[in-house]
């Protein structure tokens, strides 16, 4: 969809770094409001880095209770092996939590893509969250994008 066709489009303006903390935290910029009984098509295009080899970057999104389906593609190891899967959201308040691959160099950037269709039972906030999967340093980079199109 062209940029003008998105109901909301947020481009992260600054890096957000997490150091040695495995507790998921709300991203400072990547969130938007949804209404009750609305259906949304959502894309997350996240760029991140880490300073440890392995699956160091942990991410998810919280949202009002709803049902839908989502597909994710990301590196699941330090070797850049792609992981891809489709999952169903069964009425819970969050997507599955994923651990994505990082390399030992903090200057090596990784990316993940997530495509989501959700119908929300109640209104609230769709909120990207991230943390370290283990001890280390991870950064969700400026330029990451969260966008959504309200379908109904």
């Amino acid at each position: 969809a062209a940029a003008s066709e998105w109901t909301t489009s947020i481009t992260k303006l600054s890096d957000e770094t997490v150091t040695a903390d495995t507790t998921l935290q709300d991203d400072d910029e990547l969130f938007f409001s949804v209404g009750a009984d609305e259906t949304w098509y959502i894309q997350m295009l996240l760029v991140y880095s880490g300073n440890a080899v392995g699956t160091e970057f942990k991410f998810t999104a919280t949202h009002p209770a709803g049902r839908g389906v989502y597909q994710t593609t990301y590196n699941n190891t330090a070797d850049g092996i792609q992981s891809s899967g489709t999952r169903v959201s069964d009425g819970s308040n969050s997507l599955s939590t994923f651990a994505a691959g990082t390399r030992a160099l903090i200057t090596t950037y990784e990316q993940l893509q997530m495509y989501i269709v959700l119908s929300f039972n109640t209104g609230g906030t769709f909120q990207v969250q991230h943390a370290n999967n283990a001890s280390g340093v991870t950064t969700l980079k400026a330029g990451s994008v969260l966008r959504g199109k309200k379908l109904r």
Side-chain angles (χ1 to χ4, degrees):
S4 62
E5 295 177 18
W6 296 102
T7 307
T8 188
S9 184
I10 303 145
T11 300
K12 190 165 181 56
L13 299 177
S14 59
D15 291 356
E16 190 168 337
T17 299
V18 177
T19 303
D21 189 350
T22 60
T23 302
L24 287 163
Q25 66 176 32
D26 290 349
D27 184 82
D28 293 339
E29 300 175 73
L30 299 178
F31 62 91
F32 63 90
S33 296
V34 297
D37 299 319
E38 292 180 349
T39 300
W40 285 74
Y41 169 61
I42 301 166
Q43 288 184 350
M44 289 193 317
L45 308 167
L46 306 182
V47 178
Y48 61 93
S49 64
N51 73 340
V53 174
T55 54
E56 180 58 28
F57 182 73
K58 180 167 61 172
F59 68 97
T60 190
T62 59
H63 55 77
R67 298 186 183 280
V69 64
Y70 54 99
Q71 193 276 333
T72 308
T73 301
Y74 60 97
N75 292 337
N76 66 353
T77 69
D79 297 326
I81 298 171
Q82 289 285 313
S83 180
S84 183
T86 301
R87 300 186 184 199
V88 174
S89 181
D90 59 0
S92 68
N93 291 77
S94 67
L95 305 178
S96 295
T97 299
F98 297 89
T102 55
R103 295 181 174 92
L105 298 174
I106 197 77
T107 57
T108 302
Y109 302 145
E110 309 289 348
Q111 67 176 355
L112 68 90
Q113 302 161 354
M114 184 176 276
Y115 307 96
I116 307 156
V117 176
L118 282 173
S119 293
F120 300 103
N121 300 332
T122 59
T125 302
F126 185 93
Q127 172 73 62
V128 173
Q129 294 184 321
H130 56 95
N132 302 118
N133 195 46
S135 62
V137 177
T138 56
T139 301
L140 186 54
K141 304 298 288 179
S144 295
V145 175
L146 172 64
R147 55 190 174 196
K149 180 169 180 62
K150 183 177 158 186
L151 302 176
R152 70 165 185 91

